[in-house]
Amino acid sequence: MSRLFFLLPLLLFVAMAGYFFVRLGDDASIVPSALIDKPVPQIDAPPLLQGKPGITTADFSGEVKVLNVWASWCVPCRAEHPLVTRLAQTEGVPVYGLNWKDQKQAAVAWLNELGDPYGQIGFDEAGRNGIELGVYGVPETYIIDKDGRIRYKRVGPLTPSIMKDEVLPLIQELKK
């Protein structure tokens, strides 16, 4: 019995080490979301720009849409911006933006510098709308189907391979 008492910590350590070793190859950017296949939660973000609407939950029905959560202080957001722009301009899918935990002047300057691919842009200075979406960092990208259900969530910047292998095929499938 005393031997078992001394072996128990070793067995526990081996079990934990085995678990972590098996999980070592997992992609850390794939974050499961409780919102997948659920309706877009309650969003009511005022407009970032004058003359362009903000975003509300009601905006996410009727056709497939992409919601890109970004901030001017986010370096990966800057890196993915050309892909978001291409998505909006050439793929025939409306792209909406949610500016998250940012300063309005900095966000507007960022869009003036890099271009504005968004059909609508909500301003979420306090992060309340982001909380509803489960945002914990930027950039995050959501694909929302015709019925207003979140079908995909990407944490981290979009890349050409992610666009080609994940985003565009799903958009095409959902448009059918």
Side-chain angles (χ1 to χ4, degrees), residues 33-105:
S33 173
L35 295 176
I36 299 296
D37 293 326
K38 303 271 190 303
V40 173
Q42 191 60 42
I43 297 173
D44 189 11
L48 174 67
L49 302 173
Q50 254 187 334
K52 185 175 270 198
I55 56 174
T56 66
T57 303
D59 296 323
F60 293 101
S61 62
E63 65 182 318
V64 176
K65 294 184 177 130
V66 172
L67 174 62
N68 181 247
V69 184
W70 62 279
S72 65
W73 46 262
C74 166
V75 174
C77 296
R78 182 176 284 270
E80 81 168 1
H81 193 72
L83 292 171
V84 173
T85 300
R86 189 186 94 207
L87 183 65
Q89 292 176 348
T90 64
E91 299 302 332
V93 61
V95 178
Y96 290 2
L98 180 64
N99 180 252
W100 186 70
K101 293 188 174 183
D102 207 348
Q103 295 179 354
K104 196 170 211 171
Q105 292 172 317

